Amino acid sequence: MIRRLARKIRNAGRRIGRLSQLSERLRSRARLWSVARQEKKRPTATDSTVGSIATGFAWRADNIGGVRRHLECLQEYSKFPVSIYPSTFGSTSLLPLEKESYHHSLSYRQLRHHDLFHSHVDPKFIEICKSAQLDGKPWVHTYHLLYFAEDWGGTLQQWQIDINDALIHQARKADFCISVGSWLVDLLWDKYQIRSTYIPNGVDLAACELASADRFRQRFGLSDFVLFVNSILSVKNPLAFIQQAERMPERTFVMIGSGLTRESIETTLSVKVPANLIALGPLPHEVTLDAISACRAFVMTSRREGLPTVLLEAMALMKPCVVPDSPGFGDAITDRSQGFRYEFDDADSLHKMVCECLIAMELPLARQHVIAKFSWPVVMKKTDEVYSTLLRHRCESLAKD
């Protein structure tokens, strides 16, 4: 009796799994026909634009984190039907690999109906992409950043070591590797002999256009402030921003991001938060854009970045920006007409640039630079060309077989 019941339960589970796969295929096909209608042509089996993309892994909740935002824009702007995995995820943990049970819930078998796989950061999704490649599916990998011990207090945690290992030894086997920063292209080749192509992060100009400074002022009662949007992690170097607030008590400083509350700052960083610093913690993406629109100056102090999306957003909104001369910022700000760069780990240099930034008005040339090189339609065209080439080669290979 118990064995028969268990068998029935297993069979029911298999049927549910097959129905789920069929549902996803139908949704994928519907998206594909939608794309085809937009392009005013009917897809055929040999059409290089045909193909659904599986991309992941989305660790954070919707609209939280640069990689998650990157995936959402791939889905929104690609001419291909793109599915993000997992589709929903409610955690905002700073240690994503502690969610082991969730990571193991996906397998290639569940995603094999897709035609091309695009991995970002996560070792488990990289394993799925390797399985897809063995099954004849094209695999693209995007390098956003590696973890460097010197950026994290001299020691990496095990989850960071695991990610580095997957990025250095496994992701390199992808059919096409992308780096979001030109400096990262050089580092991957010089240090690890990994070939990659520079395709930058993009900025969602449509989302930026919806930003409202008045809405933020009415909600929080803040205006004419210096803004920091990042997290409390040591690689983001929030202490440098806090020290600037101490040096400029006549100015209002605002911090937004994971762990950036007054209590968390004082506990984690062992510093007293100055009275002129307002720590708002993490906010939804649209509220963060409102904050950027309302600020007087935007400041980043990171030890290292791939290419920070939030900086591109601030530049798109023509805000005077201050960034360090550390890796990850050179592609975005190339001269003083686009923003201000200070000598990293030099508090006086940072202070000087913040003061100059506060004098500056809006920077229209920064916006023009972003539109020309980093808007998602521009970036996505390059990525779609990669997708098209790989899918066309696959179609040609299948036709020969």
Side-chain angles (χ1 to χ4, degrees):
M1 173 75 73
I2 294 176
R3 285 197 294 271
R4 284 200 300 271
L5 180 60
R7 187 163 53 251
K8 288 181 179 179
I9 293 173
R10 286 197 299 272
N11 290 337
R14 294 191 186 100
R15 285 194 293 271
I16 291 171
R18 286 194 291 271
L19 286 172
S20 177
Q21 289 185 19
L22 176 60
S23 175
E24 178 58 36
R25 289 192 189 99
L26 291 173
R27 287 195 297 269
S28 178
R29 184 55 57 187
R31 290 192 298 269
L32 180 60
W33 281 108
S34 175
V35 171
R37 285 196 301 271
Q38 291 173 10
E39 296 183 352
K40 296 183 180 179
K41 64 178 184 178
R42 180 180 178 132
T44 66
T46 58
D47 193 330
S48 64
T49 65
V50 172
S52 66
I53 316 297
T55 190
F57 188 88
W59 289 337
R60 304 290 189 84
D62 290 352
N63 281 325
I64 296 178
V67 174
R68 173 81 199 204
R69 187 68 190 149
H70 185 98
L71 301 187
E72 290 173 345
C73 288
L74 284 178
Q75 185 180 57
E76 181 176 353
Y77 286 94
S78 177
K79 68 180 181 181
F80 295 92
V82 176
S83 296
I84 301 174
Y85 292 96
S87 57
T88 58
F89 190 40
S91 172
T92 57
S93 169
L94 294 176
L95 302 179
L97 293 188
E98 289 181 348
K99 302 288 182 181
E100 287 296 334
S101 61
Y102 201 93
H103 274 243
H104 284 288
S105 67
L106 285 175
S107 67
Y108 172 61
R109 184 173 181 177
Q110 295 169 280
L111 311 183
R112 65 186 305 168
H113 54 283
H114 290 291
D115 301 298
L116 183 147
F117 287 71
H118 191 167
S119 54
H120 302 256
V121 186
D122 179 65
K124 301 297 182 182
F125 201 81
I126 288 172
E127 288 294 325
I128 290 173
C129 293
K130 286 173 59 181
S131 298
Q133 188 183 56
L134 290 173
D135 197 27
K137 308 287 182 68
W139 172 20
V140 177
H141 178 80
T142 292
Y143 286 91
H144 293 264
L145 195 59
L146 299 178
Y147 291 102
F148 301 89
E150 59 267 30
D151 298 337
W152 295 82
T155 304
L156 296 179
Q157 297 186 42
Q158 188 58 49
W159 63 272
Q160 295 169 313
I161 295 171
D162 291 342
I163 290 177
N164 275 353
D165 183 71
L167 295 179
I168 295 167
H169 301 294
Q170 303 303 323
R172 67 188 302 150
K173 300 174 185 177
D175 298 292
F176 194 92
C177 291
I178 295 170
S179 289
V180 300
S182 60
W183 73 273
L184 191 53
V185 172
D186 296 337
L187 180 140
L188 288 172
W189 175 249
D190 293 341
K191 193 169 183 177
Y192 305 108
Q193 288 72 60
I194 297 174
R195 294 187 182 277
S196 62
T197 298
Y198 171 53
I199 300 179
N201 274 337
V203 60
D204 188 352
L205 293 173
C208 292
E209 293 300 326
L210 297 175
S212 170
D214 288 339
R215 187 164 54 216
F216 186 84
R217 295 187 191 106
Q218 291 171 7
R219 179 173 178 178
F220 294 96
L222 296 170
S223 61
D224 197 36
F225 55 89
V226 182
L227 179 63
F228 176 97
V229 178
N230 229 309
S231 77
I232 201 170
L233 295 174
S234 60
V235 69
K236 307 303 183 182
N237 196 25
L239 189 58
F241 184 82
I242 296 169
Q243 291 170 344
Q244 290 302 310
E246 293 173 341
R247 292 181 65 162
M248 306 176 71
E250 73 285 359
R251 286 282 180 184
T252 300
F253 284 66
V254 175
M255 303 184 82
I256 295 173
S258 298
L260 295 176
T261 64
R262 179 174 293 269
E263 296 76 17
S264 182
I265 290 171
E266 293 184 345
T267 301
T268 304
L269 302 181
S270 301
V271 296
K272 183 174 177 57
V273 175
N276 63 321
L277 192 150
I278 311 299
L280 297 176
L283 296 176
H285 182 247
E286 60 273 15
V287 182
T288 301
L289 288 178
D290 287 349
I292 295 173
S293 181
C295 76
R296 176 71 177 273
F298 184 85
V299 177
M300 296 194 75
T301 56
S302 305
R303 300 179 186 279
R304 198 185 310 256
E305 294 276 358
L307 175 58
T309 304
V310 68
L311 172 62
L312 300 179
E313 291 170 336
M315 294 173 67
L317 290 168
M318 296 188 289
K319 294 299 175 178
C321 298
V322 177
V323 300
D325 57 3
S326 53
F329 297 98
D331 293 322
I333 296 180
T334 60
D335 60 53
R336 290 288 290 270
S337 69
Q338 300 160 1
F340 303 84
R341 300 188 68 181
Y342 73 94
E343 297 177 25
F344 178 74
D345 216 16
D346 186 328
D348 291 335
S349 176
L350 173 57
H351 182 71
K352 178 181 177 181
M353 290 299 102
V354 171
C355 290
E356 291 194 28
C357 191
L358 288 168
I359 297 172
M361 302 300 289
E362 292 182 337
L363 300 181
L365 291 180
R367 177 178 171 80
Q368 293 175 21
H369 176 58
V370 165
I371 291 173
K373 293 192 174 182
F374 304 106
S375 63
W376 263 108
V378 172
V379 172
M380 198 67 239
K381 182 179 180 181
K382 298 176 182 179
T383 307
D384 274 344
E385 287 174 356
V386 174
Y387 292 162
S388 294
T389 300
L390 293 175
L391 288 168
R392 183 172 63 251
H393 289 168
R394 179 170 182 255
C395 287
E396 292 170 352
S397 177
L398 291 173
K400 289 179 182 178
D401 295 340

